[in-house]
Amino acid sequence: MYNQLTKFGNSATQLIFGSVTLAAVTLTSVYVHSHFAATAFAYLVVILLFSLMGSFFSSSALSIISVAALTYLFTPPTFSLRIDDPQDLLALVAFLTASIVGTHLIRNVRHERETAREIAAKLRQSEADLRDREKRWRAIFEHNPVMYFMVDEAGTVLNVNTFGATQLGYAPEEIVGLSVLNVFRNEDREVVRKCIGECLTNIGQSHTWDIQKVRKDGSVLWVRENAKAMLWADDKPIVLIACEDITERKRTVLALQRSEAHLAQAQELSHTGSFGWSEVTGEIFWSKEFFRLFQYDPEMKPAAQLVLDRVHPEDRASVQETMDRAYRAEDRAFRGQDFEHEYRLLMPDGSVKHIHALARATRTASGDTEFVGAATDITAAKQVEQQLRRSEAYLADAQRLSHTGTWSWDCNHRRFAYRSAEVSRLFGFAPEERVTLEAIRSRIHPDDLALQQEVQRRAIEQKTGNFEYDFRIRLPDGAIRHIHAIAHAVVGSDGTTVELIGTHMDVTEQHAARERLESTLAALRESEQRFRDYAETASDWLWETGPDHLLTQFLEHAGTAGVVAKGVIGLPRREIARDVEEEPEKWRQHQATLDAHLPFRDLIYRTVNRHGCPTYVRTSGKPFFDGSGNFLGYRGVSTDITAMIRADQAEQELRKAQAELAHVTRVTTLGELTASIAHEVNQPLAAIITNADACLGWLGRDTPDLPAARSSVEWIIEDAIRASEVIRRIRTLAKKGEIEMVAIGINDVVKDAIALVTRELANHQVTLRTELAPTLPAILADRVQLQQVIINLVMNGIEAMQTVDDRPRELMIQSSLDDMGRVQLSVTDCGVGIAEDDTNRILDPFFTTKASGLGMGLSICRSIVEAHGGHLSVVPKQGPGATVQFVLPLHEEAVS
């Protein structure tokens, strides 16, 4: 019995060690990817060596295990006991035969046959046990809810459990043999290399890290990897990695972090800081926004005293009282109650913040009190509230300043539901005075009362649209006010008109201005005719010199043609005269007068006319200066003293002929631009009406929108200023006035002139294009005179295109700098053009190609331009039409 036990023990030992050795060989062969023959030879060697221990059955079992291992691991298909290749079958048979024969021979040498059978039986039992144990461990490895990876030092996956591969969406064979980096994101792969490198550097030590892995479908999961490197066969290191899925945990953490970030951002955006306080522990919590509101360092420890330190001195007592009542009240019935409070903070920089604090008391399970609350910065709301109050005051002031009152009429009760103070003032009542409907109607002019009642009746019946009408108010002192009224019907849910909302605007000044404008236009027409007669009967010629005393302008009357020689422009008077050598003293005194910039009178000198005949001229001149007192030259008149009486009668007329003729031209142009003037005035008036109606709409809401109404009133004021500005420009052009030389921009003058001829362009179907060079330097000029020149050139262009039907009527105004750096303005039309024979005479006084023209327009324009130190000319043009342009010196040049 003992021998049998001993044999059994030996056989078992043989089988166990043999199996372990075979397992080691198997793992080594798998690890080094050994071939079938090399593995079989290794198995045979192991079997023969262990057969020396004396157990045939153990050796046979080892042979069978080896055959099974070879079949399962090293013959295709791998991991299967089925053999498809006959050669593999033959090799296995040969291997088995060799191992058994060798085992048998060895057994015959050392052991008896019976012993070999016992050992074989034991080996078979051991083999079964090994297989069961392997099966159990493999099941644990494969189905453990943890991902296991085995990688070599290059990062190649040697083995992966089924659970791990399934978690990533792969089959195990899809991962084995590939780089483990394939299951990581590109941006994380360097981190993985580093972590594996640390494991290989510190063999036997565990390393843990959190990282994201990429599934086969592209989705990611968070894992916590615990890795350890160990030496494998041939002392080659491998890394075993266990991966725990922490995706849900990570999501929870990230969600919490996002929630905290969103809360912090929401507090920052709403300027609301949160706080908490525990009655038991005394612990105080402030959010980051709370620290920011009170401008404390977040590293500081929160304390109630810090709040009191920031509270405005005037509010500190009330805040202290609130805190005492909530935190430290002796009576527990009053302690721990919710509180709400508004107070101010005085910040270190002197600014003031308004804070609204709200706290809620909660009871813990032990009955202790905890406070949770919020403090909101309501400074902006307080400022808006103050601005709203100011807006209400502004609206009242705007109504008073613009003389516009608002009202609401209750159609059901036939009484005023609302009437602003300005309405009472318009009717001559005190704002606080109680006024009846009869008293208001008594102030309306009897001739207008029926019209007003009719308009209101139509507004109630028609229900839609705005209804406008004008009426007069007769005040107790007999004064008359002109009122422009706008009414709008409000329809109720039953379809009937329940309310009329309207405005009353005092337009007395506008009415008077319109009457004054009409009388002014009539006077301008009369003045135009009068000065037209003066121009036709004048017989003197006018001249002008620059600061160098060279003649810049010489305007001759048609009746004096031939008296003055040609080419006098640009010459001093001394070169025009022929008696300088005969009377040197006279010319010395005259030159001294010119150098002193003094006026001179009745200078008589001899010259020759265009025909070379001697002519005696009497001339007088006066220096003229700009607004700064700089000398600009002389202006004067000259007379042919051979007609002394005629010259005496016309001397004064010639002195002012230029200004009068220019005024005549302006007046004539204004008469032609009546439609444009009316349009320019009507535009802002229409805008005033529209904005007033909008204002009523804002005020008529259930909750009046005062900021919007105030904006409408501001627009009404702006449009009224626009209308007043148009009238001012017209009056400036119409009235006579002294020349005012100021620094102005030519583009601004062009825009003012265009505003007066826009309607005229539209009436004649003329398209205006402008090419105004930006940032042109300023010029020194009289704005009114330059407007006259531009308007005259535009009107000439419009007239020149009246007969054009075969092409578009287009007018071009261009501003630029010429080659000499002067400001240049040109007006180009596409009309009939100027005949070649008329080109040289078109700028002469009294020359005209129009049947009803005087021939003074372009001449006066030239005189005005030359008076400004410039030059006006007709430019040859390719194609139909004509171009008239003028150049003016820059501001500095004109001053010098």
Side-chain angles (χ1 to χ4, degrees), residues 383-654:
Q383 292 174 348
V384 170
E385 181 180 346
Q386 295 172 359
Q387 290 174 357
L388 181 59
R389 293 196 182 99
R390 285 198 297 269
S391 297
E392 293 175 351
Y394 292 157
L395 178 60
D397 292 341
Q399 289 195 3
R400 180 171 53 81
L401 293 174
S402 63
H403 305 293
T404 302
T406 55
W407 50 268
S408 172
W409 174 259
D410 189 338
C411 298
N412 295 327
H413 298 88
R414 299 187 58 76
R415 62 181 176 81
F416 282 105
Y418 166 77
R419 189 174 67 248
S420 69
E422 188 61 24
V423 172
S424 298
R425 281 193 287 266
L426 290 178
F427 280 84
F429 300 108
E432 65 278 0
E433 182 179 354
R434 184 177 179 84
V435 183
T436 64
L437 178 60
E438 290 71 20
I440 292 178
R441 287 181 174 176
S442 66
R443 296 287 171 91
I444 299 177
H445 196 284
D447 296 341
D448 299 337
L449 183 58
L451 172 63
Q452 186 198 42
Q453 293 175 342
E454 174 63 20
V455 172
Q456 291 181 353
R457 183 188 63 79
R458 284 192 285 110
I460 294 173
E461 292 177 355
Q462 296 182 16
K463 304 176 183 177
T464 58
N466 294 327
F467 299 87
E468 301 184 30
Y469 56 95
D470 294 326
F471 65 93
R472 292 166 290 175
I473 295 175
R474 187 168 57 186
L475 299 176
D477 60 0
I480 298 295
R481 283 182 178 164
H482 292 264
I483 303 297
H484 180 74
I486 303 175
H488 177 75
V490 178
V491 181
S493 58
D494 58 354
T496 61
T497 302
V498 297
E499 190 177 12
L500 287 180
I501 298 175
T503 61
H504 286 161
M505 179 184 294
D506 185 355
V507 294
T508 305
E509 289 296 328
Q510 292 90 324
H511 184 80
R514 185 163 53 250
E515 291 181 345
R516 289 195 298 269
L517 178 60
E518 291 174 355
S519 62
T520 299
L521 291 176
L524 288 175
R525 296 188 187 96
E526 180 182 354
S527 177
E528 175 187 0
Q529 185 59 44
R530 182 171 68 253
F531 287 108
R532 187 185 295 273
D533 295 339
Y534 292 161
E536 291 177 349
T537 57
S539 58
D540 288 327
W541 59 83
L542 308 176
W543 57 266
E544 182 176 318
T545 65
D548 53 1
H549 305 303
L550 302 181
L551 280 172
T552 58
Q553 294 191 51
F554 205 93
L555 181 63
E556 292 185 89
H557 189 276
T560 62
V563 174
V564 181
K566 294 181 178 180
V568 296
I569 299 297
L571 298 177
R573 188 173 288 103
R574 293 174 60 92
E575 296 184 12
I576 299 173
R578 294 294 185 266
D579 58 357
V580 177
E581 295 180 357
E582 298 174 5
E583 300 180 77
E585 182 60 25
K586 177 185 72 175
W587 287 101
R588 187 190 63 76
Q589 292 180 1
H590 177 65
Q591 186 63 42
T593 301
L594 297 180
D595 294 339
H597 299 164
L598 298 174
F600 63 90
R601 187 174 182 81
D602 295 336
L603 173 66
I604 300 174
Y605 63 93
R606 188 181 76 249
T607 183
V608 293
N609 62 14
R610 298 178 182 179
H611 306 292
C613 300
T615 300
Y616 289 89
V617 177
R618 181 174 62 196
T619 184
S620 299
K622 183 180 180 180
F624 64 97
F625 306 86
D626 61 12
S628 303
N630 297 312
F631 173 66
L632 299 181
Y634 276 87
R635 295 192 182 109
V637 296
S638 296
T639 307
D640 180 3
I641 62 174
T642 57
M644 182 65 69
I645 296 176
R646 184 179 178 185
D648 290 341
Q649 294 174 347
E651 182 177 356
Q652 295 302 321
E653 296 297 332
L654 288 172

Side-chain angles (χ1 to χ4, degrees), residues 274-292:
S274 58
F275 61 89
W277 176 77
S278 173
E279 180 185 35
V280 177
T281 63
E283 182 181 1
I284 298 177
F285 164 78
W286 288 353
S287 70
K288 181 179 180 181
E289 184 63 17
F290 195 95
F291 279 100
R292 194 193 65 78

Side-chain angles (χ1 to χ4, degrees), residues 164-175:
T166 303
Q167 282 289 91
L168 297 177
Y170 294 95
E173 57 270 15
E174 293 182 280
I175 298 179

Side-chain angles (χ1 to χ4, degrees), residues 151-153 155 180-181 191-201 209 229 239 241:
V151 300
D152 62 13
E153 55 186 341
V180 74
L181 298 178
V191 176
V192 175
R193 290 192 187 96
K194 182 178 178 181
C195 292
I196 292 177
E198 291 179 357
C199 291
L200 293 172
T201 302
W209 62 86
V239 180
I241 305 173

